[in-house]
């Protein structure tokens, strides 16, 4: 009897733990929002570094409405950024849920001293989103780049070159020209899907920023097979699935894969807290 009771208690504890994990994954972690900060020094300079904030993969839908977007806006604005970057996927499925007026108004509240820049993600094409995405971002004060360059001049007259590529899954990415031939003090490549960076190793960018992967959304300790399967479900983000990469093929280029804010497929996250990435870049 004692043995059966112990087995029952172990099973009960296991079931309660599993239920707690499921509850956390669906009802707590997706609603969290953390700030990850990184210092990137191109030169040893005494000048104040430029503060660049990247957000990605909002995936606005029935359980991620304008109300939750306002929390993101407040978090970003509290950082007083110099530049805000959005690396794609505004809506999850535009045909299933859209709220253009309120979403545009919320995005308008994002404030950056030297501007806001965005690129296209694969979800910005599907479900009719392609007909609205450009106007939403432009009305919200973003410069939307599609295979284009934009040079931003800072207060000290130094320049950062931003190149924004079209989405690699549903768009037609094309490098406008080699960044290495530009006279800017720093160069940043924006592309929604990270794995395509291998095609642009010869373009001499200092920093590449992407998203798309969500870090798999699920990262369960001691279960690497589950985590790898979660990452593999997202095309073009299996080699670079989340975080900072110092590329062996091009040691002068740093890649950062933002694990995003929203969710897709299932409205759950576990071990991959929604993030706002803050980069302090010394030019």
């Amino acid at each position: 009897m004692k043995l059966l009771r112990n087995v029952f208690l172990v099973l009960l504890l296991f079931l309660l733990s599993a239920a707690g994990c499921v509850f956390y994954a669906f009802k707590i972690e997706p609603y969290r929002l953390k700030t990850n900060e990184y210092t990137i020094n191109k030169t040893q300079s005494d000048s104040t570094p430029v503060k660049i904030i990247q957000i990605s993969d909002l995936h606005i839908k029935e359980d991620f409405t304008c109300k939750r977007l306002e929390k993101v806006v407040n978090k970003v604005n509290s950082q007083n950024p110099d530049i805000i970057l959005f690396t794609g996927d505004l809506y999850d499925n535009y045909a299933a849920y859209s709220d253009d007026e309120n979403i545009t108004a919320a995005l308008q509240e994002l404030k950056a001293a030297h501007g806001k820049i965005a690129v296209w993600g694969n979800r910005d094409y599907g479900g009719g989103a392609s007909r609205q995405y450009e106007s939403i971002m432009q009305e919200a004060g973003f410069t939307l780049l599609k295979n284009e360059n934009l040079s931003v001049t800072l207060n000290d007259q130094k320049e950062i070159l931003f190149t924004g590529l079209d989405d690699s899954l549903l768009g037609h990415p094309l490098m406008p020209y080699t960044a290495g031939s530009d006279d800017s003090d720093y160069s940043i490549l924006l592309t929604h899907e990270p794995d395509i960076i291998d095609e642009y190793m010869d373009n001499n960018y200092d920093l590449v920023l992407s998203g798309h992967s969500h870090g798999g959304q699920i990262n369960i300790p001691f279960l690497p097979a589950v985590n790898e399967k979660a990452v593999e479900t997202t095309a073009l983000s299996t080699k670079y699935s989340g975080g900072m990469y110092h590329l062996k093929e091009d040691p002068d280029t740093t890649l950062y894969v933002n694990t995003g804010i929203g969710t897709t497929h299932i409205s759950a996250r576990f071990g991959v807290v929604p993030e706002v990435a803050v980069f302090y870049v010394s030019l």
Side-chain angles (χ1 to χ4, degrees), residues 86-208:
F86 177 60
T87 43
D89 280 7
L90 179 62
Y91 284 101
D92 187 59
N93 181 349
Y94 190 83
Y97 179 87
S98 62
D99 185 13
D100 294 355
E101 182 177 354
N102 288 322
I103 297 304
T104 302
L107 293 174
Q108 285 174 339
E109 293 303 312
L110 286 168
K111 307 299 181 184
H114 295 284
K116 305 184 291 189
I117 302 170
V119 293
W120 292 74
N122 58 301
R123 298 284 176 158
D124 304 318
Y125 278 101
S130 60
R131 296 190 293 271
Q132 302 298 329
Y133 180 62
E134 184 173 5
S135 63
I136 291 171
M137 300 311 291
Q138 289 178 347
E139 289 178 24
F142 281 81
T143 298
L144 181 60
L145 300 179
K146 181 187 284 189
N147 302 328
E148 297 171 283
N149 293 318
L150 176 68
S151 184
V152 175
T153 302
L154 305 174
N155 292 335
D156 58 4
Q157 299 307 305
K158 289 188 176 181
E159 291 188 0
I160 302 178
L161 174 73
F162 292 92
T163 300
L165 294 180
D166 196 4
D167 179 70
S168 296
L169 288 172
L170 299 179
H172 301 282
L174 180 66
M175 184 66 64
Y177 67 81
T178 302
S181 64
D182 189 85
D183 294 328
S184 296
D185 298 284
Y186 201 77
S187 57
I188 298 177
L189 175 64
L190 306 175
T191 174
H192 184 64
E193 291 87 3
D195 286 1
I196 60 98
I197 183 57
D198 291 343
E199 301 177 20
Y200 301 106
M201 288 294 186
D202 297 329
N203 287 274
N204 302 315
Y205 285 93
D206 295 300
L207 178 64
V208 182

Side-chain angles (χ1 to χ4, degrees), residues 42-114:
K42 183 175 183 180
T43 60
Q44 295 300 320
S45 173
D46 294 331
S47 61
T48 303
V50 59
K51 182 185 284 190
I52 300 173
I53 287 187
Q54 180 203 14
I55 57 175
S56 193
D57 297 87
L58 291 169
H59 286 262
I60 292 164
K61 53 183 177 175
E62 292 88 344
D63 56 11
F64 191 133
T65 63
C66 182
K67 206 68 178 174
R68 286 181 63 187
L69 179 57
E70 290 173 358
K71 178 181 178 181
V72 177
V73 170
N74 292 335
K75 173 76 80 171
V76 172
N77 285 342
S78 70
Q79 294 288 327
N80 296 313
D82 293 305
I83 299 169
I84 296 173
L85 307 174
F86 177 60
T87 43
D89 280 7
L90 179 62
Y91 284 101
D92 187 59
N93 181 349
Y94 190 83
Y97 179 87
S98 62
D99 185 13
D100 294 355
E101 182 177 354
N102 288 322
I103 297 304
T104 302
L107 293 174
Q108 285 174 339
E109 293 303 312
L110 286 168
K111 307 299 181 184
H114 295 284

Side-chain angles (χ1 to χ4, degrees), residues 4-20:
L4 288 176
R5 186 180 65 181
N6 289 339
V7 170
F8 174 78
L9 289 174
V10 169
L11 288 174
L12 180 61
L13 181 62
F14 174 80
L15 291 174
L16 289 174
S17 298

